Amino acid sequence: MTEGCTEYSYNKTGCAGADPQIKIDRLEKTYRRDGKKTEAIEDISLDIRQGELVTFIGPSGCGKTTLLKLIAGLITPNGGTVEINGRPCTQPGADRGMVFQDFALLPWRSVRKNVELGLEIAGVPRAERREKAESYIRLVGLERFADSKTYELSGGMKQRVAIARALVVRPDVVLMDEPFGALDAQTRNIMQAQLTDILGSTDQTIIFITHSVDEAIYISDRIVVLTKRPTAIREVINIPWARPRDRSSSEFNALKKRILDYLERENVMDS
Ligand SMILES: Nc1ncnc2c1ncn2[C@@H]1O[C@H](COP(=O)(O)OP(=O)(O)OP(=O)(O)O)[C@@H](O)[C@H]1O
Ligand SMILES: [Mg+2]
């Protein structure tokens, strides 16, 4: 594989350009609990530019969620730094929105009230809140369910609420931890297409974690393949192909096989 950005593959920090939005620099994380040490992240450096959709994929338990939490500022690294727009991410901030695998919705609140939550916290006045929430509820196709309580919804619908809730506050960066992991295959495909559609119309940066190689190739501008724990970057793959991508193409399947072969060697079963 050649170096640089013309081929679909290149290594380590990649080519985010001279002025990256996010700079991850020599990040390290070791957990210490009950006298036990778990080294999660060994050494990760990566530059990400504004508007990129970057996916992290790697063996189960390698440290993906840890990495996302470090970027979110929810936990503190043992070494290294994360900066967004030149500012260190040492605590959570409104510039970053997070979508968790388990949705983290408030079940007794309506769809509308869940989507309005971040705006409420930010002190956005009621009428403006309602209007903004409405447009994002429409964007994810849930207008008929705006007044339903979220416990009444299917997994796919809950996931769409969680995405609308993260996007409505217009964070510079959206952090998504296996957001489609609990969905059936068909809903998952629809959500992937919707996500790339939604993002095509904004300049938001997305950092996305998945276990699915197919999903990563379908949605990403770049895929960062991680090693097993303590994790480090194995490879960064640039995917310049136009969207929507053709899952049946030979180049799609050749890349899928190459990543799967590696992950299977490292003990990951999902495709
Ligand atoms: N708060 C914590 N205290 C101690 N160890 C932790 C903590 N959180 C995670 N770990 C450990 O750190 C390692 C990495 O965990 P992490 O959740 O980041 O992995 P992951 O790649 O997201 O896993 P999965 O594929 O299951 O989502 C694991 O061995 C995990 O048990
Ligand atoms: Mg995880």
Side-chain angles (χ1 to χ4, degrees):
M1 210 50 58
T2 53
E3 295 291 326
C5 299
T6 47
E7 270 287 359
Y8 68 59
S9 181
Y10 56 93
N11 266 320
K12 295 291 175 189
T13 55
C15 50
D19 197 15
Q21 181 188 34
I22 304 174
K23 269 189 96 57
I24 302 172
D25 188 29
R26 288 168 293 170
L27 208 56
E28 289 172 40
K29 177 67 187 175
T30 298
Y31 292 106
R32 285 185 177 81
R33 195 157 64 186
D34 306 330
K36 191 171 163 266
K37 226 170 94 171
T38 307
E39 252 192 284
I41 295 179
E42 184 175 51
D43 176 13
I44 290 190
S45 294
L46 187 78
D47 288 350
I48 297 172
R49 61 182 172 268
Q50 184 171 0
E52 255 196 302
L53 199 167
V54 174
T55 300
F56 286 92
I57 196 160
S60 288
C62 74
K64 301 179 292 296
T65 297
T66 300
L67 179 60
L68 218 60
K69 284 182 176 166
L70 287 165
I71 300 170
L74 292 169
I75 56 175
T76 312
N78 297 84
T81 53
V82 181
E83 282 183 5
I84 297 190
N85 297 321
R87 288 189 304 273
C89 299
T90 47
Q91 54 187 36
D95 56 346
R96 283 149 290 152
M98 191 141 177
V99 180
F100 297 93
Q101 181 170 13
D102 63 0
F103 318 130
L105 299 176
L106 301 173
W108 300 100
R109 278 195 150 200
S110 65
V111 167
R112 191 192 307 282
K113 284 294 211 179
N114 267 280
V115 174
E116 281 185 26
L117 187 66
L119 299 170
E120 245 176 88
I121 294 167
V124 175
R126 194 187 163 84
E128 189 183 335
R129 229 158 58 203
R130 178 127 303 198
E131 192 185 324
K132 284 188 170 157
E134 206 78 58
S135 78
Y136 278 85
I137 290 169
R138 221 173 306 121
L139 193 68
V140 296
L142 286 177
E143 54 272 44
R144 286 197 299 121
F145 300 91
D147 295 310
S148 305
K149 300 280 190 279
T150 54
Y151 74 84
E152 300 169 320
L153 305 179
S154 71
M157 290 156 85
K158 284 182 187 149
Q159 192 57 73
R160 283 188 270 168
V161 179
I163 291 170
R165 190 181 59 181
L167 295 180
V168 72
V169 292
R170 305 277 308 147
D172 294 342
V173 180
V174 186
L175 306 169
M176 304 180 95
D177 192 358
E178 299 194 44
F180 306 150
L183 307 181
D184 62 87
Q186 198 189 351
T187 311
R188 190 168 181 153
N189 285 356
I190 294 168
M191 290 300 300
Q192 291 164 2
Q194 264 185 5
L195 181 73
T196 52
D197 272 2
I198 292 171
L199 298 174
S201 59
T202 77
D203 55 4
Q204 284 168 302
T205 308
I206 305 285
I207 302 183
F208 191 104
I209 289 175
T210 182
H211 267 109
S212 164
V213 176
D214 182 90
E215 178 166 275
I217 300 174
Y218 190 78
I219 66 172
S220 307
D221 295 314
R222 281 194 294 164
I223 301 176
V224 180
V225 184
L226 298 172
T227 67
K228 57 186 176 202
R229 196 171 61 76
T231 202
I233 294 177
R234 152 90 186 190
E235 180 181 28
V236 181
I237 301 169
N238 188 32
I239 307 182
W241 309 333
R243 298 182 175 96
R245 293 179 178 156
D246 177 7
R247 290 187 149 96
S248 63
S249 75
S250 55
E251 55 189 358
F252 193 109
N253 285 288
L255 179 56
K256 184 167 163 178
K257 181 173 184 321
R258 185 159 78 74
I259 301 174
L260 270 177
D261 283 350
Y262 167 71
L263 291 176
E264 272 161 13
R265 280 201 305 278
E266 297 274 301
N267 230 349
V268 174
M269 305 312 291
D270 296 6
S271 65

